[in-house]
Coordinates of all heavy atoms in Angstrom, one line a residue:
M1 N 6.3 7.2 -26.3 CA 5.8 7.5 -25.0 C 4.5 8.2 -25.1 O 3.5 7.9 -24.4 CB 6.8 8.4 -24.3 CG 6.7 8.4 -22.8 SD 6.8 6.7 -22.1 CE 6.2 7.0 -20.5
K2 N 4.4 9.2 -26.0 CA 3.1 9.9 -26.2 C 2.0 9.0 -26.6 O 0.9 9.0 -26.0 CB 3.3 11.0 -27.2 CG 2.4 12.2 -27.0 CD 2.7 13.3 -27.9 CE 1.7 14.4 -27.9 NZ 2.0 15.4 -28.9
K3 N 2.3 8.1 -27.5 CA 1.4 7.1 -27.9 C 0.9 6.2 -26.8 O -0.3 5.9 -26.7 CB 2.1 6.2 -29.0 CG 1.6 6.5 -30.4 CD 1.9 5.3 -31.3 CE 1.3 5.6 -32.7 NZ 2.3 5.2 -33.7
L4 N 1.9 5.8 -26.0 CA 1.5 5.0 -24.8 C 0.5 5.7 -23.9 O -0.4 5.1 -23.5 CB 2.8 4.7 -24.1 CG 2.7 3.6 -23.0 CD1 2.8 2.2 -23.7 CD2 3.9 3.7 -22.0
F5 N 0.8 6.9 -23.6 CA -0.1 7.7 -22.7 C -1.5 7.8 -23.3 O -2.5 7.6 -22.7 CB 0.4 9.1 -22.4 CG 1.2 9.1 -21.2 CD1 2.6 9.1 -21.2 CD2 0.6 8.9 -19.9 CE1 3.3 9.1 -20.1 CE2 1.3 8.9 -18.8 CZ 2.7 9.0 -18.8
L6 N -1.6 8.1 -24.6 CA -2.9 8.2 -25.3 C -3.6 6.8 -25.2 O -4.8 6.8 -24.9 CB -2.7 8.5 -26.8 CG -2.5 10.0 -27.0 CD1 -2.2 10.3 -28.5 CD2 -3.7 10.8 -26.6
G7 N -2.8 5.8 -25.4 CA -3.4 4.4 -25.3 C -4.0 4.2 -23.9 O -5.1 3.7 -23.8
M8 N -3.3 4.6 -22.9 CA -3.7 4.4 -21.6 C -5.0 5.2 -21.3 O -5.9 4.7 -20.6 CB -2.6 4.8 -20.6 CG -1.7 3.6 -20.4 SD -0.1 4.1 -19.6 CE -0.6 5.4 -18.6
I9 N -5.0 6.4 -21.8 CA -6.2 7.3 -21.6 C -7.4 6.6 -22.2 O -8.5 6.5 -21.6 CB -6.0 8.7 -22.1 CG1 -5.0 9.4 -21.2 CG2 -7.3 9.5 -22.1 CD1 -4.4 10.6 -21.8
T10 N -7.2 6.2 -23.5 CA -8.3 5.5 -24.2 C -8.8 4.3 -23.4 O -10.0 4.1 -23.2 CB -7.9 5.1 -25.6 OG1 -7.1 6.2 -26.2 CG2 -9.1 4.8 -26.5
A11 N -7.8 3.5 -23.0 CA -8.1 2.3 -22.3 C -8.9 2.6 -21.0 O -9.9 1.9 -20.7 CB -6.9 1.5 -21.9
S12 N -8.5 3.6 -20.2 CA -9.2 3.9 -19.0 C -10.6 4.5 -19.3 O -11.5 4.2 -18.5 CB -8.4 4.7 -18.1 OG -8.1 5.9 -18.7
A13 N -10.7 5.2 -20.4 CA -12.0 5.8 -20.7 C -13.0 4.6 -21.0 O -14.1 4.6 -20.6 CB -11.9 6.7 -21.9
L14 N -12.5 3.6 -21.8 CA -13.3 2.5 -22.1 C -13.7 1.7 -20.8 O -14.8 1.2 -20.7 CB -12.5 1.5 -23.0 CG -12.4 2.0 -24.5 CD1 -11.5 1.1 -25.3 CD2 -13.8 2.1 -25.1
T15 N -12.8 1.6 -19.9 CA -13.0 0.9 -18.7 C -14.2 1.6 -17.9 O -15.1 0.9 -17.4 CB -11.8 0.9 -17.8 OG1 -10.7 0.5 -18.6 CG2 -12.0 -0.1 -16.7
V16 N -14.2 2.9 -17.9 CA -15.2 3.6 -17.1 C -16.6 3.3 -17.8 O -17.5 3.1 -17.1 CB -14.9 5.1 -17.1 CG1 -16.1 5.9 -16.5 CG2 -13.7 5.4 -16.3
V17 N -16.6 3.3 -19.1 CA -17.8 3.1 -19.8 C -18.3 1.7 -19.6 O -19.5 1.4 -19.2 CB -17.7 3.4 -21.3 CG1 -18.9 3.0 -22.1 CG2 -17.4 4.8 -21.5
S18 N -17.4 0.7 -19.8 CA -17.9 -0.7 -19.6 C -18.1 -1.1 -18.2 O -19.1 -1.8 -17.9 CB -16.9 -1.6 -20.3 OG -15.7 -1.6 -19.7
C19 N -17.2 -0.6 -17.3 CA -17.4 -0.7 -15.9 C -17.7 -2.2 -15.4 O -18.4 -2.4 -14.5 CB -18.6 0.1 -15.4 SG -18.4 0.7 -13.7
G20 N -17.1 -3.1 -16.1 CA -17.3 -4.5 -15.7 C -16.5 -4.8 -14.5 O -15.4 -4.2 -14.2
P21 N -16.9 -5.8 -13.7 CA -16.2 -6.1 -12.4 C -14.8 -6.7 -12.7 O -14.0 -6.7 -11.9 CB -17.1 -7.1 -11.7 CG -18.1 -7.6 -12.8 CD -18.2 -6.5 -13.8
K22 N -14.7 -7.3 -13.9 CA -13.4 -8.0 -14.2 C -12.4 -7.1 -14.9 O -11.3 -7.5 -15.2 CB -13.7 -9.2 -15.2 CG -14.4 -10.3 -14.5 CD -13.6 -11.6 -14.6 CE -14.1 -12.7 -13.7 NZ -15.4 -13.3 -14.3
S23 N -12.8 -5.8 -15.2 CA -11.9 -5.0 -15.9 C -10.7 -4.6 -15.0 O -10.8 -4.4 -13.8 CB -12.6 -3.6 -16.2 OG -12.9 -2.9 -15.1
V24 N -9.5 -4.7 -15.7 CA -8.3 -4.2 -15.0 C -8.1 -2.8 -15.3 O -7.7 -2.4 -16.4 CB -7.1 -5.1 -15.5 CG1 -5.8 -4.7 -14.8 CG2 -7.4 -6.6 -15.3
A25 N -8.5 -2.0 -14.3 CA -8.5 -0.5 -14.6 C -7.1 0.1 -14.6 O -6.9 1.0 -15.4 CB -9.3 0.2 -13.5
V26 N -6.2 -0.5 -13.9 CA -4.9 0.1 -13.7 C -3.8 -0.8 -14.3 O -3.7 -1.9 -13.9 CB -4.6 0.4 -12.3 CG1 -3.2 0.9 -12.1 CG2 -5.6 1.5 -11.8
T27 N -3.1 -0.3 -15.3 CA -2.1 -1.1 -15.9 C -0.7 -0.4 -15.8 O 0.3 -0.9 -16.3 CB -2.4 -1.4 -17.4 OG1 -2.6 -0.2 -18.0 CG2 -3.6 -2.3 -17.5
G28 N -0.7 0.7 -15.2 CA 0.6 1.4 -15.1 C 0.4 2.8 -14.5 O -0.8 3.1 -14.2
P29 N 1.5 3.6 -14.3 CA 1.3 4.9 -13.7 C 0.6 5.9 -14.5 O 0.6 5.8 -15.7 CB 2.8 5.3 -13.5 CG 3.6 4.5 -14.4 CD 2.8 3.2 -14.7
K30 N -0.1 6.8 -13.9 CA -0.8 7.8 -14.6 C -0.6 9.2 -13.9 O -0.3 10.1 -14.6 CB -2.3 7.5 -14.6 CG -3.2 8.4 -15.3 CD -4.6 7.8 -15.4 CE -5.6 8.8 -15.9 NZ -7.0 8.3 -15.7
Y31 N -0.9 9.3 -12.6 CA -0.7 10.5 -11.9 C 0.6 10.7 -11.2 O 1.0 9.7 -10.6 CB -1.8 10.7 -10.9 CG -3.2 10.7 -11.4 CD1 -4.1 9.7 -11.0 CD2 -3.6 11.6 -12.4 CE1 -5.4 9.7 -11.5 CE2 -4.9 11.6 -12.9 CZ -5.8 10.7 -12.4 OH -7.1 10.6 -12.9
T32 N 1.2 11.8 -11.3 CA 2.4 12.0 -10.5 C 2.4 13.3 -9.7 O 3.3 13.6 -8.9 CB 3.7 12.1 -11.5 OG1 3.4 13.0 -12.5 CG2 4.0 10.8 -12.1
S33 N 1.4 14.1 -9.8 CA 1.3 15.4 -9.1 C 1.2 15.1 -7.6 O 0.6 14.1 -7.2 CB 0.2 16.2 -9.5 OG -1.0 15.8 -9.0
S34 N 1.8 15.9 -6.8 CA 1.8 15.7 -5.3 C 0.4 15.7 -4.8 O 0.0 15.0 -3.8 CB 2.6 16.7 -4.6 OG 2.2 18.0 -5.0
E35 N -0.5 16.5 -5.4 CA -1.9 16.5 -5.0 C -2.6 15.1 -5.2 O -3.2 14.6 -4.3 CB -2.6 17.4 -6.0 CG -3.6 18.4 -5.5 CD -4.0 19.3 -6.6 OE1 -3.2 20.3 -6.9 OE2 -5.0 19.1 -7.2
H36 N -2.4 14.5 -6.4 CA -3.0 13.2 -6.6 C -2.3 12.1 -5.7 O -3.0 11.3 -5.2 CB -2.7 12.8 -8.1 CG -3.8 13.3 -9.0 ND1 -3.5 14.1 -10.0 CD2 -5.1 13.1 -9.0 CE1 -4.6 14.4 -10.7 NE2 -5.6 13.8 -10.0
L37 N -1.0 12.3 -5.5 CA -0.4 11.3 -4.6 C -0.9 11.4 -3.2 O -1.1 10.4 -2.5 CB 1.2 11.4 -4.7 CG 1.8 11.2 -6.1 CD1 3.3 11.3 -6.1 CD2 1.4 9.8 -6.7
A38 N -1.1 12.6 -2.7 CA -1.6 12.8 -1.4 C -3.0 12.2 -1.2 O -3.4 11.6 -0.2 CB -1.6 14.3 -1.0
Q39 N -3.8 12.4 -2.3 CA -5.1 11.8 -2.3 C -5.1 10.3 -2.3 O -5.8 9.6 -1.6 CB -5.9 12.3 -3.5 CG -7.3 12.8 -3.2 CD -8.0 13.2 -4.5 OE1 -7.4 13.9 -5.3 NE2 -9.2 12.8 -4.7
G40 N -4.2 9.8 -3.1 CA -4.0 8.3 -3.1 C -3.6 7.8 -1.8 O -4.1 6.7 -1.3
K41 N -2.7 8.5 -1.1 CA -2.3 8.1 0.3 C -3.4 8.1 1.2 O -3.6 7.1 2.0 CB -1.2 9.1 0.8 CG -0.6 8.8 2.1 CD 0.5 9.8 2.5 CE 1.4 9.3 3.6 NZ 0.8 9.6 4.9
S42 N -4.3 9.1 1.2 CA -5.4 9.1 2.1 C -6.4 8.0 1.8 O -7.0 7.4 2.7 CB -5.9 10.5 2.3 OG -7.0 10.7 1.4
I43 N -6.6 7.7 0.5 CA -7.6 6.7 0.2 C -7.0 5.3 0.7 O -7.7 4.5 1.3 CB -7.8 6.6 -1.4 CG1 -8.5 7.9 -1.8 CG2 -8.6 5.4 -1.7 CD1 -8.4 8.1 -3.3
F44 N -5.7 5.1 0.4 CA -5.0 3.9 0.9 C -5.2 3.8 2.4 O -5.6 2.7 2.9 CB -3.5 4.0 0.5 CG -2.7 2.9 1.0 CD1 -2.8 1.6 0.6 CD2 -1.7 3.3 2.0 CE1 -2.0 0.6 1.1 CE2 -0.8 2.3 2.5 CZ -1.0 1.0 2.1
E45 N -4.9 4.8 3.1 CA -4.9 4.7 4.6 C -6.3 4.5 5.1 O -6.5 4.0 6.2 CB -4.2 6.0 5.2 CG -2.7 5.9 5.0 CD -2.0 7.2 5.4 OE1 -2.7 8.2 5.7 OE2 -0.7 7.2 5.4
N46 N -7.3 5.0 4.4 CA -8.7 4.9 4.9 C -9.4 3.7 4.4 O -10.4 3.2 5.0 CB -9.5 6.1 4.5 CG -9.0 7.3 5.3 OD1 -9.0 7.3 6.5 ND2 -8.6 8.4 4.6
S47 N -8.9 3.1 3.3 CA -9.7 2.0 2.7 C -9.0 0.6 2.8 O -9.7 -0.4 2.7 CB -9.9 2.2 1.2 OG -10.3 3.6 0.9
C48 N -7.7 0.6 3.0 CA -7.0 -0.7 2.9 C -6.7 -1.3 4.3 O -6.0 -2.3 4.3 CB -5.7 -0.5 2.1 SG -6.1 0.2 0.5
N49 N -7.3 -0.7 5.3 CA -7.0 -1.3 6.7 C -8.3 -1.9 7.3 O -8.3 -2.1 8.5 CB -6.3 -0.3 7.6 CG -7.2 0.9 7.8 OD1 -8.3 1.0 7.2 ND2 -6.8 1.9 8.6
R50 N -9.3 -2.0 6.5 CA -10.6 -2.5 7.1 C -10.5 -4.0 7.3 O -11.1 -4.5 8.3 CB -11.7 -2.2 6.1 CG -12.0 -0.7 6.0 CD -13.4 -0.4 5.8 NE -14.0 -1.1 4.6 CZ -14.0 -0.6 3.4 NH1 -13.5 0.6 3.1 NH2 -14.4 -1.3 2.4
C51 N -9.8 -4.7 6.4 CA -9.8 -6.2 6.6 C -8.5 -6.7 7.1 O -8.5 -7.8 7.6 CB -10.1 -6.9 5.2 SG -11.6 -6.2 4.4
H52 N -7.5 -5.9 7.0 CA -6.1 -6.4 7.4 C -5.4 -5.1 7.7 O -5.8 -4.0 7.4 CB -5.4 -7.2 6.4 CG -5.5 -6.7 5.0 ND1 -4.9 -5.5 4.6 CD2 -6.1 -7.1 3.9 CE1 -5.2 -5.3 3.3 NE2 -5.9 -6.3 2.8
K53 N -4.2 -5.3 8.3 CA -3.4 -4.1 8.6 C -2.9 -3.5 7.3 O -2.9 -4.2 6.3 CB -2.2 -4.5 9.4 CG -2.5 -4.6 10.9 CD -1.2 -4.7 11.7 CE -0.4 -6.0 11.3 NZ 0.8 -6.2 12.1
L54 N -2.6 -2.2 7.3 CA -2.1 -1.6 6.1 C -0.9 -2.3 5.6 O 0.1 -2.4 6.4 CB -1.8 -0.1 6.3 CG -2.9 1.0 6.2 CD1 -2.2 2.4 6.3 CD2 -3.6 0.8 4.9
P55 N -0.8 -2.7 4.4 CA 0.4 -3.4 3.9 C 1.5 -2.4 3.7 O 1.3 -1.2 3.5 CB -0.1 -4.0 2.5 CG -1.2 -3.2 2.1 CD -1.9 -2.7 3.4
D56 N 2.7 -2.9 3.8 CA 3.9 -2.0 3.5 C 4.0 -1.8 2.0 O 4.0 -2.8 1.2 CB 5.1 -2.8 4.0 CG 6.4 -2.0 3.8 OD1 6.4 -0.9 3.2 OD2 7.5 -2.5 4.2
P57 N 4.0 -0.6 1.6 CA 4.1 -0.3 0.1 C 5.3 -1.0 -0.5 O 5.3 -1.3 -1.7 CB 4.3 1.2 0.0 CG 3.7 1.7 1.3 CD 3.9 0.7 2.3
A58 N 6.4 -1.3 0.3 CA 7.6 -1.9 -0.3 C 7.4 -3.4 -0.5 O 8.2 -4.1 -1.0 CB 8.8 -1.7 0.6
K59 N 6.2 -3.9 -0.1 CA 5.9 -5.3 -0.2 C 6.0 -5.8 -1.7 O 6.3 -6.9 -2.0 CB 4.5 -5.7 0.4 CG 4.1 -7.1 0.2 CD 3.1 -7.5 1.2 CE 3.1 -9.0 1.3 NZ 1.8 -9.7 1.0
H60 N 5.5 -4.9 -2.6 CA 5.5 -5.3 -4.0 C 6.2 -4.2 -4.8 O 6.3 -3.0 -4.5 CB 4.0 -5.3 -4.5 CG 3.3 -6.5 -3.9 ND1 3.6 -7.8 -4.2 CD2 2.2 -6.5 -3.0 CE1 2.8 -8.6 -3.5 NE2 1.9 -7.9 -2.8
D61 N 6.7 -4.7 -6.0 CA 7.3 -3.7 -6.9 C 6.1 -3.2 -7.8 O 4.9 -3.6 -7.5 CB 8.4 -4.4 -7.8 CG 7.9 -5.6 -8.6 OD1 6.6 -5.7 -8.7 OD2 8.7 -6.3 -9.1
D62 N 6.4 -2.4 -8.8 CA 5.3 -1.7 -9.6 C 4.4 -2.8 -10.2 O 3.2 -2.6 -10.2 CB 6.0 -0.9 -10.7 CG 6.8 0.3 -10.1 OD1 7.0 0.3 -8.9 OD2 7.2 1.2 -10.9
Q63 N 5.0 -3.8 -10.8 CA 4.1 -4.8 -11.4 C 3.3 -5.6 -10.4 O 2.1 -5.9 -10.6 CB 5.0 -5.8 -12.2 CG 4.2 -6.9 -13.0 CD 3.2 -6.3 -14.0 OE1 3.5 -5.3 -14.7 NE2 2.0 -6.8 -14.0
G64 N 3.9 -5.9 -9.2 CA 3.2 -6.6 -8.2 C 2.0 -5.9 -7.7 O 1.0 -6.5 -7.4
W65 N 2.1 -4.5 -7.6 CA 1.0 -3.8 -7.1 C -0.1 -3.7 -8.1 O -1.3 -3.6 -7.8 CB 1.4 -2.3 -6.7 CG 1.9 -2.3 -5.3 CD1 3.2 -1.9 -4.9 CD2 1.3 -2.7 -4.1 NE1 3.3 -2.0 -3.6 CE2 2.2 -2.5 -3.0 CE3 0.0 -3.2 -3.8 CZ2 1.8 -2.8 -1.7 CZ3 -0.4 -3.5 -2.5 CH2 0.6 -3.3 -1.5
I66 N 0.2 -3.8 -9.4 CA -0.9 -3.9 -10.4 C -1.7 -5.1 -10.1 O -2.9 -5.1 -10.1 CB -0.3 -4.0 -11.8 CG1 0.3 -2.6 -12.2 CG2 -1.4 -4.4 -12.9 CD1 0.9 -2.6 -13.6
N67 N -1.0 -6.2 -9.9 CA -1.7 -7.5 -9.6 C -2.5 -7.5 -8.3 O -3.7 -7.8 -8.3 CB -0.7 -8.7 -9.6 CG 0.0 -8.8 -10.9 OD1 -0.5 -8.4 -12.0 ND2 1.2 -9.4 -10.9
T68 N -1.8 -7.1 -7.3 CA -2.5 -7.1 -6.0 C -3.7 -6.1 -5.9 O -4.8 -6.4 -5.4 CB -1.5 -6.8 -4.8 OG1 -0.6 -7.8 -4.8 CG2 -2.2 -6.7 -3.5
L69 N -3.5 -4.9 -6.5 CA -4.5 -3.9 -6.4 C -5.7 -4.3 -7.3 O -6.8 -3.9 -7.0 CB -4.0 -2.5 -6.8 CG -3.4 -1.6 -5.8 CD1 -3.2 -0.2 -6.3 CD2 -4.2 -1.6 -4.5
S70 N -5.5 -5.0 -8.3 CA -6.6 -5.4 -9.2 C -7.5 -6.4 -8.4 O -8.7 -6.6 -8.7 CB -6.2 -6.0 -10.5 OG -5.5 -7.2 -10.3
R71 N -6.9 -7.1 -7.4 CA -7.8 -7.9 -6.5 C -8.3 -7.1 -5.4 O -9.5 -7.4 -4.9 CB -6.9 -9.1 -5.9 CG -6.6 -10.1 -7.0 CD -6.0 -11.4 -6.3 NE -4.7 -11.1 -5.7 CZ -4.4 -11.3 -4.4 NH1 -5.3 -11.9 -3.6 NH2 -3.3 -11.0 -3.9
M72 N -7.6 -6.2 -4.8 CA -8.0 -5.5 -3.6 C -8.9 -4.3 -3.8 O -9.7 -3.9 -3.0 CB -6.7 -5.0 -2.8 CG -5.9 -6.2 -2.2 SD -6.9 -7.1 -1.1 CE -6.3 -8.8 -1.4
A73 N -8.7 -3.6 -4.9 CA -9.5 -2.4 -5.2 C -11.0 -2.7 -5.2 O -11.8 -2.0 -4.6 CB -9.1 -1.7 -6.5
P74 N -11.4 -3.8 -5.8 CA -12.8 -4.1 -5.8 C -13.3 -4.5 -4.3 O -14.4 -4.1 -4.0 CB -13.0 -5.4 -6.7 CG -11.8 -5.3 -7.6 CD -10.7 -4.7 -6.8
K75 N -12.4 -5.1 -3.6 CA -12.8 -5.4 -2.2 C -13.0 -4.2 -1.4 O -13.9 -4.1 -0.6 CB -11.6 -6.2 -1.5 CG -11.5 -7.7 -1.9 CD -10.6 -8.3 -0.9 CE -10.0 -9.6 -1.4 NZ -11.0 -10.7 -1.5
A76 N -12.1 -3.2 -1.7 CA -12.3 -1.9 -1.0 C -13.3 -1.0 -1.6 O -13.5 0.2 -1.2 CB -10.9 -1.2 -0.9
K77 N -13.9 -1.5 -2.7 CA -14.9 -0.7 -3.4 C -14.4 0.6 -3.9 O -15.1 1.6 -3.9 CB -16.2 -0.5 -2.6 CG -16.8 -1.8 -2.1 CD -18.3 -1.7 -1.8 CE -19.0 -2.9 -1.3 NZ -18.3 -4.2 -1.3
L78 N -13.2 0.6 -4.4 CA -12.7 1.8 -5.0 C -13.2 2.0 -6.4 O -13.4 1.1 -7.1 CB -11.1 1.7 -5.1 CG -10.4 1.5 -3.7 CD1 -8.9 1.6 -4.0 CD2 -10.8 2.5 -2.7
T79 N -13.4 3.3 -6.8 CA -13.7 3.6 -8.2 C -12.4 3.4 -9.0 O -11.3 3.3 -8.4 CB -14.1 5.0 -8.4 OG1 -13.0 5.9 -8.0 CG2 -15.3 5.3 -7.5
D80 N -12.5 3.3 -10.3 CA -11.3 3.2 -11.1 C -10.3 4.4 -10.8 O -9.1 4.2 -10.8 CB -11.6 3.2 -12.6 CG -12.3 1.9 -13.0 OD1 -12.3 1.0 -12.2 OD2 -12.9 1.9 -14.1
E81 N -10.8 5.5 -10.6 CA -10.0 6.7 -10.3 C -9.3 6.6 -9.0 O -8.1 6.9 -8.9 CB -11.0 7.9 -10.3 CG -10.3 9.2 -10.5 CD -9.8 9.5 -11.9 OE1 -9.9 8.6 -12.7 OE2 -9.2 10.5 -12.1
Q82 N -10.0 6.1 -8.0 CA -9.3 5.9 -6.7 C -8.3 4.8 -6.7 O -7.2 4.9 -6.2 CB -10.4 5.6 -5.6 CG -11.4 6.7 -5.3 CD -12.6 6.3 -4.5 OE1 -13.1 5.1 -4.7 NE2 -13.0 7.1 -3.6
H83 N -8.6 3.7 -7.5 CA -7.7 2.6 -7.7 C -6.4 3.2 -8.3 O -5.3 2.9 -7.8 CB -8.4 1.6 -8.6 CG -7.6 0.4 -9.0 ND1 -8.2 -0.6 -9.7 CD2 -6.3 0.1 -8.9 CE1 -7.3 -1.5 -9.9 NE2 -6.1 -1.1 -9.4
Q84 N -6.6 4.0 -9.3 CA -5.4 4.6 -10.0 C -4.6 5.4 -9.0 O -3.4 5.3 -9.0 CB -5.9 5.4 -11.2 CG -4.7 6.1 -11.9 CD -3.9 5.1 -12.8 OE1 -4.5 4.3 -13.6 NE2 -2.6 5.0 -12.5
M85 N -5.2 6.2 -8.2 CA -4.5 7.1 -7.3 C -3.8 6.3 -6.2 O -2.7 6.7 -5.9 CB -5.4 8.2 -6.7 CG -5.8 9.2 -7.8 SD -6.7 10.7 -7.1 CE -8.3 10.0 -7.0
V86 N -4.4 5.3 -5.7 CA -3.8 4.5 -4.7 C -2.6 3.8 -5.4 O -1.5 3.8 -4.8 CB -4.7 3.4 -4.2 CG1 -4.0 2.4 -3.3 CG2 -5.8 4.1 -3.3
Y87 N -2.7 3.3 -6.6 CA -1.6 2.7 -7.3 C -0.4 3.6 -7.4 O 0.7 3.3 -7.1 CB -2.0 2.1 -8.7 CG -0.8 1.6 -9.4 CD1 -0.3 0.3 -9.1 CD2 -0.2 2.3 -10.4 CE1 0.8 -0.2 -9.7 CE2 0.9 1.8 -11.1 CZ 1.4 0.5 -10.7 OH 2.5 0.1 -11.4
D88 N -0.7 4.8 -7.9 CA 0.3 5.8 -8.1 C 1.0 6.2 -6.8 O 2.2 6.4 -6.8 CB -0.2 7.0 -8.9 CG -0.6 6.7 -10.3 OD1 0.1 5.8 -10.9 OD2 -1.5 7.4 -10.9
Y89 N 0.2 6.3 -5.8 CA 0.8 6.6 -4.5 C 1.8 5.4 -4.1 O 2.9 5.7 -3.7 CB -0.2 6.8 -3.4 CG 0.3 6.6 -2.0 CD1 1.3 7.6 -1.5 CD2 0.1 5.5 -1.2 CE1 1.8 7.4 -0.3 CE2 0.6 5.4 0.0 CZ 1.5 6.3 0.5 OH 2.1 6.2 1.7
L90 N 1.3 4.2 -4.2 CA 2.1 3.1 -3.7 C 3.4 3.0 -4.5 O 4.5 2.8 -3.9 CB 1.3 1.8 -3.9 CG 0.2 1.6 -2.8 CD1 -0.7 0.4 -3.2 CD2 0.8 1.4 -1.4
I91 N 3.4 3.2 -5.8 CA 4.6 3.0 -6.6 C 5.5 4.2 -6.4 O 6.7 4.2 -6.7 CB 4.4 2.7 -8.1 CG1 3.8 3.9 -8.8 CG2 3.6 1.4 -8.2 CD1 3.9 3.8 -10.3
S92 N 5.0 5.3 -5.8 CA 5.8 6.5 -5.6 C 6.6 6.3 -4.3 O 7.6 7.0 -4.0 CB 5.0 7.8 -5.5 OG 4.3 7.9 -4.2
V93 N 6.2 5.3 -3.4 CA 6.9 5.1 -2.2 C 7.4 3.7 -2.0 O 8.0 3.4 -1.0 CB 6.0 5.5 -1.0 CG1 5.7 7.0 -0.9 CG2 4.7 4.7 -1.0
N94 N 7.2 2.8 -3.0 CA 7.6 1.4 -2.8 C 9.1 1.2 -3.1 O 9.5 0.0 -2.9 CB 6.7 0.5 -3.6 CG 7.1 0.6 -5.1 OD1 7.7 1.5 -5.6 ND2 6.5 -0.3 -5.9
K95 N 9.8 2.2 -3.5 CA 11.2 1.9 -3.9 C 12.0 1.7 -2.6 O 11.9 2.4 -1.6 CB 11.8 3.1 -4.6 CG 10.9 3.6 -5.8 CD 10.8 2.6 -6.9 CE 10.0 3.1 -8.1 NZ 8.6 3.0 -7.9
K96 N 12.8 0.7 -2.6 CA 13.6 0.3 -1.4 C 14.8 1.2 -1.3 O 15.4 1.6 -2.3 CB 14.0 -1.1 -1.4 CG 12.7 -1.9 -1.3 CD 12.9 -3.4 -1.1 CE 11.5 -4.0 -1.0 NZ 11.3 -5.1 -1.9
Ligands
LIG1 C1 -13.0 -6.4 2.1 C2 -11.8 -6.7 2.7 C3 -10.4 -6.2 2.1 C4 -10.2 -4.9 1.8 C5 -11.1 -3.7 1.9 C6 -8.8 -4.9 1.3 N1 -8.2 -6.1 1.4 FE1 -6.3 -6.7 1.0 N2 -6.7 -8.6 1.5 C7 -8.0 -9.1 1.9 C8 -7.9 -10.5 2.1 C9 -9.1 -11.4 2.5 C10 -6.6 -10.9 1.8 C11 -6.0 -12.3 1.8 C12 -6.4 -13.1 0.6 C13 -5.8 -12.6 -0.7 O1 -4.5 -12.4 -0.7 O2 -6.5 -12.4 -1.6 C14 -5.9 -9.7 1.5 C15 -4.5 -9.6 1.2 C16 -3.8 -8.4 0.9 C17 -2.4 -8.4 0.6 C18 -1.5 -9.6 0.7 C19 -1.5 -10.4 -0.6 C20 -0.6 -9.8 -1.7 O3 -1.0 -9.8 -2.9 O4 0.4 -9.2 -1.3 C21 -2.1 -7.1 0.3 C22 -0.8 -6.5 0.0 C23 -3.4 -6.3 0.3 N3 -4.4 -7.2 0.7 C24 -3.5 -5.0 0.0 C25 -4.7 -4.3 0.1 C26 -4.8 -2.9 -0.3 C27 -3.7 -2.0 -0.9 C28 -6.1 -2.5 -0.1 C29 -6.8 -1.2 -0.4 C30 -7.0 -0.9 -1.8 C31 -6.8 -3.7 0.5 N4 -5.9 -4.7 0.5 C32 -8.1 -3.7 0.9 C33 -9.1 -8.3 2.1 C34 -9.2 -7.0 1.9

């Protein structure tokens, strides 16, 4: 588990440096603090309703949100950090 987290941190650090439009910034959960989740919620509510209604977080499971957010975060012009926080918020509330 510890190895996995280190791997994720390294991967996201590399993503920030390379900053390519095709990079998949978010591949799993990272933040769990209520502070980060609240921030993710507000980014979600402010950025994801510009083109369509806010989607129901229960629409996708954890893996599904990785896929959908990797398409939607660039549309919403989220930074990798915001993308991550929105992802962590969504999977904290998507359980049925
Ligand atoms: C610039 C416009 C735009 C923004 C901003 C945007 N979307 Fe979308 N979204 C679309 C379009 C267009 C579609 C339909 C085409 C498609 O699915 O790619 C869509 C479809 C979706 C769908 C349905 C398809 C699926 O995979 O379930 C979900 C869910 C979704 N968006 C979530 C989000 C979230 C979450 C955000 C905020 C991070 C967001 N969108 C921001 C344009 C946008």
Side-chain angles (χ1 to χ4, degrees):
M1 200 58 195
K2 206 170 174 189
K3 254 198 177 136
L4 191 79
F5 267 106
L6 277 177
M8 277 163 28
I9 290 163
T10 317
S12 57
L14 285 176
T15 313
V16 172
V17 173
S18 62
C19 210
K22 289 239 171 73
S23 66
V24 180
V26 172
T27 53
K30 182 173 171 192
Y31 297 124
T32 50
S33 77
S34 52
E35 223 172 281
H36 275 120
L37 297 182
Q39 224 180 315
K41 181 176 198 277
S42 92
I43 296 163
F44 172 68
E45 287 171 352
N46 290 304
S47 318
C48 302
N49 60 357
R50 293 212 306 268
C51 307
H52 46 66
K53 282 191 297 181
L54 271 189
D56 181 356
K59 178 160 199 237
H60 292 293
D61 61 14
D62 296 7
Q63 183 58 45
W65 277 120
I66 290 178
N67 299 336
T68 295
L69 273 190
S70 68
R71 289 191 294 125
M72 292 299 145
K75 284 193 202 292
K77 302 206 178 357
L78 300 187
T79 65
D80 289 350
E81 198 69 1
Q82 292 169 325
H83 178 172
Q84 180 72 55
M85 286 189 280
V86 170
Y87 176 75
D88 289 331
Y89 162 68
L90 286 170
I91 66 164
S92 76
V93 292
N94 71 347
K95 312 292 184 283
K96 291 185 181 128

